[in-house]
Amino acid sequence: MATKVRETERKYEAPADYTLPDLSGTGPVHSCEGPRGADLDATYFDTADLRLARAGITLRRRTGGDDAGWHAKLPVAPDVRDEIRFPLGRAKSTVPAALAALVRSHTLGAPLTPVVRITTHRDEWELRDADGTTIALIADDAVTAHPVDGTPHSWRELEVEATDLDVLDAVGEVLGATPAKSTSKLAQALGDRAKARKPAPLPTNPSAADVALTYLQAQTAAIRANDTGIRVDTDDSVHQFRVACRRLRSALRAFRPLLDADRVNALRAELKWIGGVASPARDAEVLAGELAAELRELPSEDVLGAVPAHVDAELSRTQVDARKALVSELDGERYLALLADLDAFLADPPWTKKARRPAVHQLRKPVVKAWRTLQASVAAVEGAADRDTALHQVRKDAKKARYAAEAVAPAFGPKLERWGRRVKKAQSVLGTRQDVTVARGELRGMGVRAHLSGENGFTYGVLYARQEARGRRAEESFGRVWKKVLGVKGPRWLR
């Protein structure tokens, strides 16, 4: 059984003569207890070309201490990582399949083998607040790294793990130690070979290719990050995965004149496929949250029978099934091939001559085109035979316009960003309208099933009516937001 622990920690360099100061009375720290000694022995695994280390991920098997086992550490934010822990088991040189799957979007199935063994003698102190609660741990580590293909070397470091960043800052201020250049022992052990790949900053006057490549790289990285989040059931990971797929697909459309059309079209088709696979899981997630909130707001006399339990059971089952189906595809060869194709595409982009042109000249066209398409969709709503479908099309076209603006914004500055934010508001309002359309269909089905089983369907009808009212409010709100979209000052070429 895997467990997930959120770690907020920072490392410091500690020379041989360093002495830990008395930390009692430091900010929220009331008392300090320790040291407690431990000997740790960890073997780190990676691909031959260190793909995990370059992505800021560590994968290890460690003995000693209170948390012996297999660990994957995944970056979340500066000084914050999620550690996924699995039991030790019998295998010492073969990474557990479930743990290898967590990082498959990075390894692409390449073998995981030992790259370094790190032994540590640790002296650890507990820092407690006035209530006696442990709010931080300080580890004074004497470390020796034994690279598989290198010479052993040793160093001393301090590791501070705290309940939050404020505690981390307070303790760090009084340590009198220099923040470490490396974020992990693995990075320190492997040196430059394990340096994370950071995108180069855009030049002052970027070409269209500069802007396009930076954005495409960022969205591909987001797909990988949220792939892992889905596997460990991180909140909002399905949504963010689908958003990254959509952004990347939209950007490829916007940048299509800069790139080989056949390769762009092939990637967009596969991104549409995997985004579609993620849709049922996300839709079920949204619907479950909305109906649970609606049921909490209903007067008790309007809730007849075990409706909350039925709704929760039905939608929970749908969510579980949809997530299993998504993970199954993430484990499949088609998705793996998509990631490999994206890597090859970004490593050697098939640029056309237009890509060398200045971004400020070349990248206006996709935004203007998306904007005109959106305006036409809004105009088509009046008199549409199927208003739900027409408004859903407006929402989709608003997303395309917003994503196009987002992708090229570095070339055009604040005015385009402000315009994009207004379009996002219009899209969000219509997103609520679309959620209502989905919810009404599900509630109708639930009501029919309740009736056929001899239960009272009154509450489902009440929920249906509330959703209809919510949809009308969203549509009215869209009218107001759209006027603001038309009124916001964007670049002149949008008018």
Side-chain angles (χ1 to χ4, degrees):
M1 176 68 74
T3 58
K4 181 170 71 171
V5 179
R6 175 64 55 89
E7 292 186 337
T8 303
E9 65 179 24
R10 199 170 290 160
K11 295 181 182 295
Y12 296 85
E13 297 174 0
D17 59 353
Y18 174 84
T19 301
L20 191 72
D22 181 5
L23 295 168
S24 300
T26 299
V29 179
H30 185 265
S31 63
C32 178
E33 182 177 313
R36 181 179 60 175
D39 290 306
L40 312 176
D41 192 332
T43 299
Y44 288 78
F45 293 75
D46 206 332
T47 60
D49 54 357
L50 303 178
R51 296 176 200 174
L52 299 184
R54 293 178 184 277
I57 296 171
T58 60
L59 185 60
R60 72 187 180 199
R61 183 184 189 274
R62 189 169 79 180
T63 59
D66 297 332
D67 62 346
W70 287 91
H71 305 153
K73 289 197 174 190
L74 313 168
V76 174
D79 300 323
V80 181
R81 294 195 290 180
D82 280 339
E83 183 172 282
I84 314 302
R85 299 173 179 173
F86 284 76
L88 271 176
R90 294 181 179 180
K92 294 183 179 181
S93 58
T94 302
V95 177
L99 195 54
L102 291 182
V103 295
R104 187 171 181 262
S105 65
H106 295 274
T107 65
L108 301 182
L112 289 164
T113 57
V115 293
V116 65
R117 176 179 170 229
I118 296 178
T119 55
T120 304
H121 176 74
R122 168 169 290 179
D123 289 322
E124 187 173 71
W125 289 259
E126 288 188 43
L127 306 185
R128 297 175 178 169
D129 63 13
D131 296 328
T133 301
T134 300
I135 57 174
L137 300 171
I138 295 184
D140 185 349
D141 290 343
V143 186
T144 300
H146 310 264
V148 170
D149 56 356
T151 303
H153 57 287
S154 302
W155 68 92
R156 182 186 180 192
E157 70 177 32
L158 301 177
E159 183 177 289
V160 182
E161 182 179 346
T163 51
D164 57 51
L165 290 171
D166 290 338
V167 175
L168 200 62
D169 289 339
V171 173
E173 284 181 6
V174 298
L175 278 180
T178 304
K181 297 182 178 65
S182 298
T183 57
S184 69
K185 289 180 174 64
L186 177 66
Q188 175 77 5
L190 298 178
D192 290 344
R193 291 188 298 153
K195 278 191 175 179
R197 302 185 187 97
K198 293 183 179 180
L202 284 173
T204 304
N205 297 303
S207 68
D210 292 330
V211 172
L213 185 59
T214 297
Y215 189 81
L216 296 174
Q217 287 172 334
Q219 298 314 312
T220 301
I223 288 174
R224 283 194 157 96
N226 288 294
D227 169 300
T228 305
I230 290 168
R231 295 173 187 277
V232 296
D233 208 12
T234 301
D235 288 345
D236 207 38
S237 56
V238 174
H239 174 53
Q240 293 304 326
F241 178 85
R242 191 167 65 159
V243 167
C245 290
R246 284 176 170 171
R247 281 178 168 149
L248 186 53
R249 184 166 163 249
S250 181
L252 286 168
R253 179 198 299 110
F255 299 138
R256 186 156 40 193
L258 313 180
L259 294 153
D260 178 78
D262 290 340
R263 292 187 65 185
V264 165
N265 291 339
L267 286 173
R268 292 190 71 246
E270 291 304 281
L271 288 165
K272 181 179 181 180
W273 159 72
I274 194 62
V277 172
S279 293
R282 174 58 180 167
D283 291 345
E285 186 178 77
V286 171
L287 183 60
E290 175 57 32
L291 294 188
E294 288 278 15
L295 283 164
R296 286 194 297 269
E297 291 180 7
L298 283 183
S300 58
E301 60 269 22
D302 286 345
V303 182
L304 305 183
V307 174
H310 288 323
V311 169
D312 180 66
E314 187 163 335
L315 293 180
S316 294
R317 186 167 55 249
T318 300
Q319 287 185 80
V320 169
D321 291 345
R323 187 176 172 277
K324 283 182 178 177
L326 173 56
V327 173
S328 177
E329 292 295 351
L330 296 183
D331 285 337
E333 294 304 315
R334 183 175 177 180
Y335 173 66
L336 197 67
L338 169 59
L339 293 177
D341 288 346
L342 282 170
D343 285 347
F345 186 87
L346 296 176
D348 186 18
W351 299 120
T352 65
K353 292 181 180 179
K354 291 180 179 179
R356 294 195 291 269
R357 296 175 183 173
V360 292
H361 300 313
Q362 183 61 41
L363 296 182
R364 296 177 180 182
K365 296 176 184 178
V367 183
V368 172
K369 182 178 179 181
W371 172 227
R372 289 175 180 169
T373 300
L374 174 58
Q375 288 177 302
S377 292
V378 174
V381 171
E382 291 304 321
D386 185 342
R387 194 170 181 84
D388 286 346
T389 299
L391 286 170
H392 185 43
Q393 186 60 50
V394 173
R395 178 186 175 228
K396 292 194 292 184
D397 289 336
K399 278 187 179 181
K400 293 172 185 176
R402 169 196 161 198
Y403 290 156
E406 178 184 86
V408 306
F412 298 108
K415 282 190 175 181
L416 186 59
E417 291 176 355
R418 284 195 295 272
W419 180 84
R421 287 195 294 269
R422 291 291 189 185
V423 173
K424 181 181 179 180
K425 287 184 179 179
Q427 170 214 314
S428 297
V429 169
L430 289 180
T432 299
R433 178 69 169 68
Q434 177 61 19
D435 291 343
V436 165
T437 300
V438 173
R440 286 185 310 179
E442 291 294 330
L443 286 167
R444 185 184 294 108
M446 290 179 185
V448 169
R449 288 190 288 277
H451 173 72
L452 293 175
S453 62
E455 298 175 7
N456 192 316
F458 172 79
T459 302
Y460 296 106
V462 172
L463 290 171
Y464 186 97
R466 287 173 68 93
Q467 285 296 311
E468 277 198 323
R470 180 172 174 243
R472 286 193 296 271
R473 291 193 300 271
E475 194 169 334
E476 291 167 1
S477 179
F478 172 72
R480 295 189 295 271
V481 172
W482 182 247
K483 288 180 180 178
K484 292 181 180 180
V485 173
L486 295 174
V488 71
K489 288 184 179 180
R492 291 180 181 177
W493 40 268
L494 275 175
R495 301 300 171 185

